[in-house]
């Protein structure tokens, strides 16, 4: 298959609560990746959505005295408002290019989850027994006795969630049959799980320690009978599916499984050419990197290409929690700082995979230094000088006597896409530690700083005073062309502002992809430019 397709997914969010910056972070990261791949010439499928079944959502609805369907219809709206919702009703606060929004209560999804179950069952990996064990509703996860601690007479899971004893008839998934196959797979595919430290954790969990210990993976209870808010188990209406098997299946549903297998193969890929990248928080890595590949192996379906886990944000040094009252809504940040500024900060401020602290003062500092003072100021000064002194047209140029454009090319590695460059940090086949959003942005800033230096050293305002108008035009041309390149690579992160800079340089809409970074598509002297306006205002304290 030669088709350049790419599939990226966010986790689907539980609708027991309102969206906060943790959710916005995963979604923004996926959007940046989706936009990057699109600018690189890929046909991109980007999906997100809501996880609406399970005991946690059922309980949240009951606590409010509302029917779960009505409850999820209402609460999932606040998640639809963050992104595009192709079926209608999304406000796209985060300016995402997702082309699906999936709700697990939709008929297409129930059908897919049941088809997945049937395939696993037909292959002999599901059996019925009685389950007795500890369950944490908050995590929607089962725990072993030896993983628990006690607090105030209550049993507590490693995540801090309270567990309860459940005992019921249940279907089981033969996870134990996949221990060896999973380990073999991780070992053969070093780029399956990022970051590397998390890959090691997953490996040692599945191996049962450093060396392989037979029996480390226990079979998994995958159905419940004590409530009915879920997808019915095919052929047994007394059971609903365990919410995680239902939820993980959303990635297949969205790609067209089981009815549209052409589309499915196009985006999900094949075993030889796996395409899906799942971006998830570190807390849900085990579900994605252990259970999910095992379910897929059991169903004889191709695996995803990559699972990338990111860290968690604390808020001004504290864990974000309702009881502390420090939960931040994405809307508040967008209103106060601007969306492109928020997108930039979240991906620049900490390496993807690390934990980090969210602090409004730091956001203002980073945004002012990088966006307002570095790129914004450069664009504004250059474009205003062109407007005033060059009749509002792209000036004529002579030689690039300082090789500015060559330097910008090298910094961004436009010609050869060096390892360690903007491109290799962003492309899924060349990650080193994880997706290098922060490193890629450092390259963009380095290119902008270099252009600022060139502008200051060549002082076009002084050339004007001295009457050296050709020389002035030459400097302005090269600065503007460097800005064109910088704006093109800034687009995935700050799509609106970078788009405005390109508009002000009169770059046609169909010449804004990475393949247009070359000299061939450089600014044309004589092109009329619109009146400039600032795109990155300074944030005042
Ligand atoms: N419904 C499951 C996912 C199913 S995917 C098949 C779920 N939902 S969630 O709403 O609880 O969490 C969704 C994501 O938000 C997770 O990736 C989680 O890591 C992320 N975050 C929640 N709080 C966060 C922070 N404070 N910081 C960063 N991300 C955080 O889990």
């Amino acid at each position: 298959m030669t088709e350049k397709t790419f599939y990226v997914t966010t986790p689907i969010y539980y609708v027991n609560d309102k969206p906060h910056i943790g959710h916005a972070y995963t979604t923004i990261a996926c959007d940046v990746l989706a936009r990057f791949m699109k600018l690189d010439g890929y046909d991109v499928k980007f999906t997100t959505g809501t996880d609406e079944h399970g005991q946690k959502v059922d309980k949240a609805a009951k606590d409010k005295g509302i029917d779960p369907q009505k409850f999820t219809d209402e609460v999932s709206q606040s998640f639809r408002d963050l992104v595009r919702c192709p079926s209608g009703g999304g406000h796209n606060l985060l300016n995402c290019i997702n082309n699906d929004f999936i709700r697990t209560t939709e008929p297409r999804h129930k059908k897919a989850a049941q088809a997945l179950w049937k395939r696993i069952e037909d292959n002999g990996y599901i059996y019925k027994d009685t389950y007795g064990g500890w369950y944490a509703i908050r995590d929607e996860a089962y725990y072993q006795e030896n993983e628990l601690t006690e607090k105030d007479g209550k049993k507590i899971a490693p995540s801090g969630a309270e567990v309860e004893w459940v005992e019921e008839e249940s279907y089981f998934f033969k996870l134990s049959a996949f221990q060896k196959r999973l380990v073999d797979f991780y070992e053969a595919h070093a780029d399956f799980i990022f970051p590397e430290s998390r890959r090691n954790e997953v490996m040692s969990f599945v191996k049962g320690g450093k060396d392989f210990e037979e029996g480390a993976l226990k079979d998994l209870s995958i159905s419940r009978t004590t409530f009915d808010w879920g997808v019915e188990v095919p052929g047994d209406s007394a059971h609903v599916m365990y919410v995680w098997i239902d939820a993980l299946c959303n990635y297949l549903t969205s790609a067209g499984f089981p009815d549209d297998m052409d589309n499915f193969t196009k985006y999900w890929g094949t075993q030889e050419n796996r395409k899906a990248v799942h971006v998830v928080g570190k807390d849900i890595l085990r579900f994605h990197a252990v259970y999910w590949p095992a379910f897929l192996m059991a169903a004889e379906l191709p695996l995803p290409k990559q699972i990338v886990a990111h860290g968690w944000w604390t808020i001004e040094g504290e864990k974000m929690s309702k009881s502390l009252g420090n939960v931040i809504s994405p809307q508040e940040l967008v209103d106060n700082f601007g969306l492109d500024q928020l997108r930039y900060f979240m991906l620049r401020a900490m390496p993807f995979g690390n934990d980090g602290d969210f602090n409004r003062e730091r956001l203002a500092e980073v945004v002012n230094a990088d966006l307002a003072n570095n790129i914004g100021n450069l664009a504004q000064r250059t474009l205003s000088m062109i407007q005033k002194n060059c009749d509002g047209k792209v000036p004529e140029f002579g030689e690039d006597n300082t090789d500015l454009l060559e330097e910008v090319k090298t910094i961004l590695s436009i010609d050869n896409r060096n390892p360690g460059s903007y491109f290799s940090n962003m492309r899924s086949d060349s990650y080193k530690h994880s997706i290098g959003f922060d490193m890629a942005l450092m390259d963009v800033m380095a290119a902008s700083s270099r252009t600022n230096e060139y502008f200051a050293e060549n002082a076009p305002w002084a050339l004007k005073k001295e009457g050296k108008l050709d020389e002035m035009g030459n400097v302005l041309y090269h600065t503007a062309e460097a800005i064109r390149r910088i704006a093109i690579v800034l687009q995935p992160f700050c799509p609106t502002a970078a788009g405005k800079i390109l508009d002000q340089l009169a770059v046609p809409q169909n010449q804004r992809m990475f393949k247009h970074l070359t000299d061939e598509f450089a600014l044309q002297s004589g092109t009329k430019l619109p009146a400039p306006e600032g795109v990155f205002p300074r944030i005042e304290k």
Side-chain angles (χ1 to χ4, degrees), residues 11-14 20 22-23 25-26 51 56 244 247-248 250-251 280-284 288 310-313 320:
I12 48 171
Y13 303 108
Y14 286 130
H20 56 61
H23 305 121
Y25 181 53
T26 323
D51 187 355
K56 175 155 142 159
W244 269 99
L248 287 160
N250 93 85
Y251 304 134
V280 301
K282 60 180 183 178
D283 52 318
I284 56 173
H288 284 82
H310 64 70
W312 271 45
W313 290 95
M320 183 164 52

Side-chain angles (χ1 to χ4, degrees), residues 67-88:
D67 163 67
Q69 186 63 58
K70 192 162 175 285
F71 175 77
T72 53
D73 286 346
E74 273 172 35
V75 193
S76 73
Q77 183 61 44
S78 55
F79 285 93
R80 283 198 292 279
D81 284 341
L82 294 185
V83 293
R84 268 192 200 162
C85 191
S87 61

Side-chain angles (χ1 to χ4, degrees), residues 195-347:
E196 203 183 349
S197 53
R198 300 255 165 231
R199 171 174 181 259
N200 296 338
E201 275 172 32
V202 168
M203 292 260 275
S204 91
F205 170 73
V206 176
K207 280 182 169 176
K210 217 160 149 281
D211 306 314
F212 194 92
E213 188 188 304
E214 207 70 65
L217 283 190
K218 306 271 176 271
D219 290 350
L220 189 66
S221 161
I222 51 165
S223 75
R224 302 292 305 269
T225 54
T226 46
F227 62 93
D228 60 5
W229 184 237
V231 180
E232 206 174 286
V233 166
D236 191 344
S237 60
H239 290 252
V240 292
M241 288 182 200
Y242 173 39
V243 65
W244 269 99
I245 197 168
D246 161 358
L248 287 160
C249 181
N250 93 85
Y251 304 134
L252 304 182
T253 314
S254 181
F257 180 81
D259 290 339
D260 185 354
M261 289 310 271
D262 286 346
N263 219 26
F264 181 74
T265 307
K266 181 170 169 193
Y267 293 107
W268 185 260
T270 58
Q271 198 54 43
E272 296 68 45
N273 191 0
R274 293 169 289 116
K275 300 199 170 214
V277 174
H278 299 314
V279 178
V280 301
K282 60 180 183 178
D283 52 318
I284 56 173
L285 179 61
R286 189 180 290 183
F287 296 98
H288 284 82
V290 182
Y291 302 164
W292 184 224
F295 294 154
L296 291 167
M297 284 173 179
E300 290 182 79
L301 288 168
L303 267 51
K305 175 176 176 161
Q306 241 160 27
I307 325 273
V308 186
H310 64 70
W312 271 45
W313 290 95
T314 49
I315 309 297
E316 327 239 332
E318 307 243 38
K319 196 173 166 191
M320 183 164 52
S321 83
K322 263 203 259 177
S323 51
L324 287 173
N326 64 353
V327 177
I328 303 185
S329 86
Q331 181 77 55
E332 182 231 299
L333 294 173
V334 171
D335 291 347
N336 284 325
F337 299 101
L339 174 63
D340 279 1
Q341 286 81 347
L342 174 67
R343 292 172 58 112
Y344 181 87
F345 174 74
M346 291 197 116
L347 295 174

